[in-house]
Amino acid sequence: MPAKFSIVRGNIALQEIDVIVTAANHALAGGAGVDGAVHKAAGPELLAECRRIAGCPTGGAVVTGAYDLAAKFVVHAVGPVWDGGTRNEDELLADCYRNALRLAAGKGARSIAFPAISTGTYGFPFERAASIALRALVEEVLKQPTVEEVRLVCFGAAALAMMERVAAREGISIGQPAGTLPRNPD
Ligand code: APR
């Protein structure tokens, strides 16, 4: 069965899911935004494990334990800093989604939550990033038949609405996240 795509609004660090992807920097040094929330919820052992890894290039991803999170693993994906689109940012962003999904599937993950990588501190325009993210994930998930759910976690109402609009434009049908009841029609 093809993987289900879901889009939710919330804090990615609180998702109950096999793998949480965080928006990291190439030093894996922790930070604000998604990375801050993930490190805070996972506890200090996550940073200790990150310090034992020799960083990660832009467009790449590495996997660690999840410690106090309700997940089995954390994938640290390093998105590009937006520089007007002149430095291969689109392809680097697609690479980090593909690499993160591949790594998670390699760990046996059936469900994976992604933030909107590079759209905060790194300044990538949200709509463009959402389109790149969804296309890369649709492409990669076809190669990872054991993955059952790809969940996009948006932080605010505007981000959620935009992600849903872009998914509709890309022809991606969106289901409910696993383990949740359908929303009331009101
Ligand atoms: N859950 C889900 N989404 C979040 C959360 C959260 N807890 N916090 C922020 N976001 C949203 C932001 O609104 C933005 O749309 O995630 C998106 C990515 O924002 P950042 O976390 O700033 O990630 P990024 O732009 O990739 O910058 C990465 O910031 O914190 C540092 O260590 C990190 O240096 C790295 C850089």
Side-chain angles (χ1 to χ4, degrees):
M1 211 173 73
K4 179 178 65 185
F5 278 73
S6 56
I7 300 176
V8 300
R9 179 181 173 188
N11 179 355
I12 196 164
L14 305 181
Q15 302 296 308
E16 292 191 7
I17 195 133
D18 288 349
V19 167
I20 289 175
V21 177
T22 185
N25 50 60
H26 60 78
L28 305 179
V34 172
D35 223 18
V38 166
H39 277 274
K40 184 172 169 219
E45 284 166 291
L46 181 61
L47 190 58
E49 185 176 350
C50 286
R51 288 201 172 117
R52 294 195 291 273
I53 302 170
C56 177
T58 301
V62 298
V63 64
T64 65
Y67 303 97
D68 294 342
L69 294 169
K72 295 174 184 153
F73 299 99
V74 174
V75 168
H76 308 252
V78 183
V81 177
W82 178 253
D83 191 23
T86 59
R87 292 176 183 259
N88 205 24
E89 294 99 310
D90 291 356
E91 195 50 39
L92 289 166
L93 186 62
D95 281 349
C96 83
Y97 279 98
R98 288 190 287 252
N99 285 326
L101 185 57
R102 200 176 302 137
L103 259 185
K107 286 288 187 184
R110 292 176 185 274
S111 56
I112 305 152
F114 285 88
I117 298 167
S118 284
T119 65
T121 305
Y122 283 178
F124 213 113
F126 191 92
E127 184 172 4
R128 182 168 175 145
S131 168
I132 291 165
L134 288 166
R135 283 184 197 181
L137 290 171
V138 165
E139 178 197 315
E140 185 59 34
V141 87
L142 289 174
K143 301 178 190 163
Q144 310 296 346
T146 53
V147 173
E148 293 168 5
E149 182 187 354
V150 174
R151 190 181 304 172
L152 281 306
V153 183
C154 299
F155 206 42
L160 177 76
M162 178 60 82
M163 188 65 81
E164 287 177 337
R165 259 203 309 281
V166 173
R169 200 171 65 207
E170 299 288 337
I172 300 166
S173 65
I174 301 300
Q176 292 291 321
T180 60
L181 294 170
R183 258 184 260 162
N184 286 327
D186 57 354

